[in-house]
Each structure stands twice: as structure tokens, then as C-alpha cells.
Amino acid sequence: MVKHNNVVPNGHFRKHWQNYVKTWFNQPARKSRRRQARQKKAVKIFPRPTAGPLRPIVHGQTLKYNMKVRAGKGFSLEELKAAGIPKKLAPTIGIALDHRRKNRSLEGLQANVQRLKTYKAKLVVFPRRARKFKAGDSTPEELASATQVQGSYMPIVREKPAVELVKVTEEMKSFSAYAKLRVERMNKRHVGARMKKAAEAEKEEKK
């Protein structure tokens, strides 16, 4: 008989761990398969860019991420109108459209309109049928020199604020922030008494 207040033996052995081993031997083959799929897609969508349609610059949601800029779903109708691009034409020339998005700030609207104008200036439009050119199509010289854009184009980069360097003066060195705070705190404390004293002095002068 087991004596004393001991743990009851309850060993978990024979787990058959070999049955739960996850292997990853198909990783190199998957890598090559994905690469081949990308190459086939690039050929299929030629001469369009491989990265897909142009996306707008938007700010992240919530207080934690709203200072960061990222790619949005699509350009708003207001942005397209300001850039002079009809909403039915936009998807046909590689511009993503999002009819739900609303512009909340003038800066965001202007940035995206400028992005659309830059894209439009660089755009080379191929005719639907060879040798049947319509209004808006690029010239034969431009078509001959056009190449498919591989990877990301017009990337979204966050501008770093410029830092202004200032030479440290003797006045800056002699300045005591602690003493200044104490003086201002004292001034705030005595503001009522000083106003009362000034009012009384003014009253005395009038007499």
C-alpha cells in the first residue's frame, strides 16, 4: 500500500508521435510551381503590369495605425472626376475603382489625384484590334518601345519629416526648464491675488 499524500501515478506514454509528424518535402516543388504560374499569368495578361491595377494611397484605421499609409482597394469617384478619368474607362486602363470610398480630407484627395495624373502621363494604351487605332490609343512608336512592368510600380512610401539642426547657444545652455516651470506655476497660483491687488491700487488712485 502506498503511504503518504503523494501524486497518483498517471504517466502519459505511448503517444504515437510518428503519426502526427508534419513533413514539408513538397516545399521546393511548390515554389517552382508558383513561379511557373506567375510567368504564365504574366504572358496571359501582357502588356498589363504583373502587380495588378493601380491602387490609391490610404491611411490605416484606428488610433494605432492611422499615421501609416498603405494601398487601398480603389480610387473614389471624386478622385477620378478631379483627375478627368471617366468611371467606366478607369477599370479598362488598369485603375482600381471603389465606389464606396469617401474622401475625408483635402490632402488625401490631392495626393491621389496627383497619383492618377502621374499614372496617366506614363500610360501606354494598346488598341483593342491591331492596326485599328482609336482616340486615346498610344502612337505606334510608343507601342513598339513599351514593355511589361514586372513587380510593384509607383510604390507607396511614407515621407520622413525633415530634421532641422540648430547650433546650441549659451542662452540655451543657461536656460533651466525646472526653474522656468516653478516660476510659471507660482505665477498661476498668485494670479488671483495679484489681480485683486491691482484692482485695489486702481481704486485708491481714483480716490
Side-chain angles (χ1 to χ4, degrees):
M1 184 64 189
V2 177
K3 288 189 176 181
H4 311 298
N5 186 20
N6 297 324
V7 177
V8 176
N10 186 18
H12 293 72
F13 302 111
R14 295 181 183 168
K15 295 186 194 304
H16 306 291
W17 61 267
Q18 293 92 336
N19 297 342
Y20 303 105
V21 172
K22 171 76 174 161
T23 58
W24 198 237
F25 300 130
N26 59 352
Q27 190 183 20
R30 272 191 183 178
K31 185 182 179 182
S32 61
R33 195 169 70 210
R34 280 197 298 267
R35 187 162 176 266
Q36 286 163 9
R38 281 197 298 272
Q39 287 170 343
K40 279 182 187 174
K41 186 184 175 184
V43 171
K44 190 179 175 183
I45 66 169
F46 182 85
R48 298 173 190 87
T50 57
L54 183 73
R55 306 281 179 185
I57 299 169
V58 298
H59 282 263
Q61 294 290 305
T62 70
L63 190 67
K64 187 177 181 182
Y65 298 109
N66 64 8
M67 81 294 293
K68 293 188 177 181
V69 288
R70 60 173 180 83
K73 180 181 168 66
F75 289 90
S76 69
L77 297 172
E78 196 181 345
E79 287 164 356
L80 289 169
K81 192 175 181 181
I85 301 167
K87 64 181 178 183
K88 286 190 176 178
L89 176 71
T92 65
I93 56 171
I95 297 170
L97 173 66
D98 183 9
H99 67 275
R100 295 182 190 89
R101 228 183 96 235
K102 289 182 175 66
N103 291 97
R104 306 289 183 191
S105 70
L106 183 66
E107 292 85 357
L109 173 71
Q110 287 171 346
N112 281 323
V113 169
Q114 187 56 47
R115 188 171 168 81
L116 282 168
K117 285 179 178 174
T118 308
Y119 176 79
K120 204 176 173 186
K122 293 179 180 180
L123 189 66
V124 176
V125 181
F126 280 67
R128 280 181 181 268
R129 293 191 185 88
R131 294 185 296 278
K132 272 201 172 182
F133 289 87
K134 288 185 177 180
D137 293 343
S138 298
T139 59
E141 293 81 30
E142 286 178 327
L143 298 179
S145 62
T147 55
Q148 188 178 30
V149 178
Q150 303 284 336
S152 64
Y153 59 100
M154 293 181 71
I156 295 168
V157 287
R158 189 182 172 200
E159 291 181 11
K160 291 184 178 178
V163 178
E164 191 181 342
L165 298 174
V166 181
K167 197 172 184 180
V168 180
T169 60
E170 286 298 321
E171 189 185 346
M172 287 179 184
K173 285 180 183 177
S174 61
F175 176 76
S176 172
Y178 178 75
K180 176 73 175 169
L181 281 170
R182 296 297 298 178
V183 168
E184 291 302 323
R185 193 174 284 170
M186 182 194 70
N187 290 340
K188 189 183 176 185
R189 198 168 63 242
H190 292 307
V191 69
R194 283 173 181 171
M195 281 171 72
K196 189 180 176 184
K197 197 174 182 181
E200 286 174 358
E202 198 178 332
K203 208 173 181 182
E204 286 292 322
E205 281 176 13
K206 282 180 182 178
K207 282 182 182 179

